Amino acid sequence: MHHRTSRRTLLTATAATAVAAVTGAGLAPGAVAAQRSASSGQHHSAATTKRLKRIISGMSLEEKVGQLFVMRVYGHSATDPDQADIDANMAEIGVRTAAEMIDRYHVGGIIYFTWAHNTRDPHQIAELSNGIQRAGLAGPTPLPLLVSTDQEHGIVCRVGEPATLMPGAMALGAGGSRSDARRAGQIAGAELAAIGINQNYAPDADVNVNPANPVIGVRSFGSDPQSVAAMVAAQVKGYQSSGIASTAKHFPGHGDTSTDSHTGLPVITHTREQWAELDEPPFRAAIAAGIDSIMTAHIVVPALDPAEDPATLSHPILTGILREELGYDGVVVTDSLGMEGVRTKYGDERVPVLALQAGVDQLLNPPSLDVSWNAVLEAVKSGEISEARIDESILRILRLKAKLGLFDDPFVSRSGVDRTVGTRSHLAAADRIAERTTTLLANDGALLPLSRRSHRDLLVVGADPASPSGTTGPPTTTLATAFGELGYAATALSTGTAPTAAKIAAAVAAAQGKDAVVVATYNVSATSSQRTLVSELAATGVPVITVAVRNPYDIAQLAGTGFAANLATYSWTDVELRAAARVIAGRAEPEGTLPVPVQRADDPAVVLHPVGYGLRY
């Protein structure tokens, strides 16, 4: 692991000059970080801007183009990844390692993914981050990198245990506490900073007004624009108080779609007035809170851009509305350029050029870095994009790097990881926050809290979706273990998200003689065999407690199946499942309330449970 003191041996004389040019030669280590603007990434000293412009003027065109890109790379190490990851890098990027990619393309940022094998454990992640920064400082113009990931918590999480996992957005929305949202961001931000991740693509600022939304759902804080705005602002302040950049997404608002922009191009039919009322408030709140970066959405909003270009490629939306009307001058990053939504209308060579012309600064994860990088280079050389235009974006990117203290010292240490990541106080805070989010929606006959005297012997069945981070679960086992620790006898039986007749029969047989059955449900639909599972279990006469481990709408689809109690956890990570077990057992009160309305399944025009609904003991 790289320690701060050895940083001096890594910086070449050129790098030291570049660092001094930005930080001021006389500043003590950490001074730049201490000088960060407390209120906004949009206020910069004239001296810093002058120094950054001096660096930009010394950069080659190739280096400038590279700074605009944030790219994935396979492997747990920047210089020595596993052979399978070297092979994947060669196939997709034409380089062997992260260090080679930085050397060849001068990329300004790297994004971590679990599937790219970047996030095995905290010490490994920290060493990977240090290797990436060493590679950046070894370039012709020594520059630190923005290292980013999607650590929204809840159902989108790249860094898992032993790091602290927090409730996700809709769970925090159910808790309704701004201080909890801020504290969750603070803890999560501190742990990311300790492992060298300095830009987090969170919080989600979308207002989820469409229960059928396949891509946002519980990633949103809720359906009320003002409540979402308050939670977004709290999370931005929490993350950024820990010294990382926060990113509000997905502008201009992805909450009312029934198409997933990963696989298609959604169209939002809101009028301009509806957009201003529903979608705009959280982004306005994020900007007021000093948000460092905003991510674009690959969605079409005809009311905002009659040309019907995806927002990522729309000058009227990104420059006209975001920059000029909302007054935002921070970094604008695209959503992944590998997603189908941005590739539908234009080819991969045109997309990065059009995005820059629209007002974007960072180009995230193009399908082919070589194609995109060369397309931008040619666009500048041909005059289609002026060099002055890309200099604007590079200045914003370098300002952010300076604000985060990366020119001062981009490295992290093993001791910093040990001091910060997954500490007892952080884990305890996550448990308490999760308890305050758990929502009780039904409790027939006051079955809950479940008495150990009358209902000690439990069966836990249901869906076992894969862990968002790859480190937790499976949910039925996690719940059964939690009940065991609370003094119950609990047996786990996974039946899946689409239980077969044989699995249902096995669950019914296992329920014989039990005092209660807990069923983890996952996005139940009208035709889902999860309904049959609940119905047949209830028919045994054993009380059935259903726990919706993703969307809270399951209760509407389960109407008439005979369950006795229903809770919503908004995610299936261990912290939320353990909290649900404590609530069921009466060790914690159900304090959450619905942040979205639940409509009747047979008549969506009728609200079954309104926003703010939640039972107490």
Side-chain angles (χ1 to χ4, degrees):
M1 181 60 61
H2 199 85
H3 293 273
R4 291 179 182 273
T5 50
S6 57
R7 166 178 173 272
R8 296 173 188 276
T9 64
L10 293 165
L11 289 173
T12 61
T14 319
T17 305
V19 171
V22 179
T23 62
L27 293 184
V32 167
Q35 288 180 348
R36 290 176 200 141
S37 160
S39 60
S40 173
Q42 297 169 45
H43 303 299
H44 314 279
S45 76
T48 299
T49 298
K50 188 175 177 182
R51 291 170 187 142
L52 293 174
K53 284 182 173 177
R54 197 180 311 145
I55 290 177
I56 295 169
S57 68
M59 292 167 68
S60 69
L61 181 57
E62 288 77 10
E63 287 178 298
K64 288 181 178 183
V65 169
Q67 275 300 299
L68 304 170
F69 285 92
V70 181
M71 187 61 183
R72 69 189 177 280
V73 67
Y74 291 87
H76 70 286
S77 163
T79 53
D80 190 26
D82 295 339
Q83 187 60 48
D85 292 323
I86 291 173
D87 294 344
N89 286 329
M90 285 299 296
E92 292 186 22
I93 313 169
V95 297
R96 296 171 67 257
T97 67
E100 286 182 14
M101 182 174 71
I102 293 164
D103 179 57
R104 180 179 300 181
Y105 291 103
H106 317 291
V107 294
I110 283 182
I111 179 172
Y112 288 170
F113 291 105
T114 310
W115 51 259
H117 311 136
N118 304 139
T119 57
R120 287 183 184 174
D121 66 77
H123 286 127
Q124 167 268 318
I125 299 169
E127 185 51 58
L128 172 61
S129 300
N130 283 342
I132 284 166
Q133 298 297 358
R134 284 194 286 271
L137 294 178
T141 304
L143 291 170
L145 279 85
L146 287 167
V147 177
S148 61
T149 201
D150 293 284
Q151 190 78 348
E152 296 175 20
H153 292 269
I155 72 165
V156 176
C157 219
R158 311 299 188 211
V159 180
E161 293 182 347
T164 306
L165 296 179
M166 287 287 172
M170 192 170 285
L172 291 170
S177 165
R178 294 185 200 184
S179 62
D180 278 355
R182 183 169 183 159
R183 180 75 178 127
Q186 231 167 15
I187 290 170
E191 296 198 7
L192 290 175
I195 58 177
I197 295 174
N198 46 51
Q199 184 178 22
N200 189 18
Y201 297 139
D204 191 299
D206 301 311
V207 180
N208 200 75
V209 293
N210 187 341
N213 194 323
V215 65
I216 305 302
V218 293
R219 297 169 63 192
S220 162
F221 289 103
S223 62
D224 176 71
Q226 299 309 321
S227 299
V228 173
M231 301 303 274
V232 165
Q235 283 243 285
V236 168
K237 289 173 181 172
Y239 281 122
Q240 294 189 180
S241 70
S242 293
I244 67 164
S246 178
T247 310
K249 61 189 186 185
H250 307 81
F251 190 82
H254 207 319
D256 190 11
T257 71
S258 53
T259 301
D260 184 344
S261 52
H262 290 84
T263 55
L265 180 57
V267 177
I268 307 274
T269 56
H270 293 177
T271 65
R272 179 65 196 249
E273 293 70 30
Q274 286 173 322
W275 174 81
E277 184 186 336
L278 286 171
D279 302 294
E280 179 189 14
F283 292 100
R284 197 178 276 284
I287 294 167
I291 189 80
D292 282 325
S293 47
I294 289 177
M295 180 179 284
T296 68
H298 305 325
I299 57 173
V300 167
V301 191
L304 304 185
D305 181 359
E308 300 196 5
D309 281 331
T312 299
L313 311 179
S314 168
H315 190 273
I317 291 174
L318 298 187
T319 298
I321 295 174
L322 182 57
R323 295 277 190 219
E324 293 170 2
E325 290 183 29
L326 299 184
Y328 177 66
D329 190 38
V331 170
V332 173
V333 56
T334 70
D335 204 344
S336 169
L337 296 182
M339 291 165 60
E340 198 56 41
V342 79
R343 304 172 75 188
T344 300
K345 194 170 177 180
Y346 303 98
D348 290 341
E349 287 187 27
R350 293 302 300 155
V351 165
V353 175
L354 294 170
L356 291 168
Q357 289 176 331
V360 157
D361 301 306
Q362 288 186 302
L363 300 161
L364 177 62
N365 200 29
S368 167
L369 178 59
D370 195 66
V371 166
S372 296
W373 189 88
N374 279 299
V376 174
L377 188 66
E378 287 308 311
V380 179
K381 284 181 176 176
S382 71
E384 185 182 5
I385 298 176
S386 71
E387 195 163 349
R389 165 65 193 90
I390 66 168
D391 285 355
E392 279 177 38
S393 285
I394 295 162
L395 181 58
R396 288 193 190 100
I397 293 163
L398 296 189
R399 275 175 174 164
L400 180 52
K401 293 178 179 183
K403 181 194 172 193
L404 297 174
L406 299 178
F407 284 98
D408 179 46
D409 185 354
F411 299 107
V412 292
S413 68
R414 178 173 281 272
S415 60
V417 172
D418 293 338
R419 261 197 321 273
T420 311
V421 178
T423 62
R424 189 174 297 169
S425 66
H426 285 181
L427 295 171
D431 282 337
R432 298 292 83 76
I433 291 170
E435 286 173 358
R436 292 190 281 269
T437 70
T438 307
T439 309
L440 180 64
L441 297 178
N443 190 19
D444 295 350
L447 174 66
L448 305 183
L450 206 60
S451 165
R452 274 186 301 165
R453 287 191 295 277
S454 57
H455 295 85
R456 184 177 176 276
D457 198 2
L458 308 179
L459 174 67
V460 180
V461 304
D464 273 334
S467 166
S469 63
T471 62
T472 65
T476 54
T477 303
T478 299
L479 279 167
T481 302
F483 283 121
E485 290 169 355
L486 293 167
Y488 297 82
T491 307
L493 176 65
S494 177
T495 51
T497 53
T500 61
K503 286 269 177 74
I504 293 170
V508 168
Q512 301 302 321
K514 298 295 183 186
D515 297 323
V517 182
V518 177
V519 184
T521 67
Y522 181 95
N523 289 7
V524 181
S525 68
T527 57
S528 172
S529 56
Q530 292 180 73
R531 291 189 81 255
T532 312
L533 172 69
V534 173
S535 186
E536 294 199 13
L537 284 168
T540 66
V542 178
V544 173
I545 302 157
T546 55
V547 180
V549 299
R550 185 165 177 167
N551 290 339
Y553 312 114
D554 285 4
I555 188 170
Q557 295 291 354
L558 294 172
T561 57
F563 65 86
N566 175 278
L567 300 94
T569 65
Y570 310 97
S571 177
W572 59 96
T573 49
D574 290 9
V575 68
E576 284 155 307
L577 296 173
R578 287 194 307 264
R582 289 194 297 276
V583 168
I584 289 169
R587 301 294 182 89
E589 288 287 322
E591 294 182 37
T593 61
L594 282 174
V596 291
V598 174
Q599 286 111 336
R600 281 179 51 158
D602 58 350
D603 186 359
V606 178
V607 173
L608 179 66
H609 296 306
V611 170
Y613 180 84
L615 303 178
R616 298 286 183 270
Y617 291 155

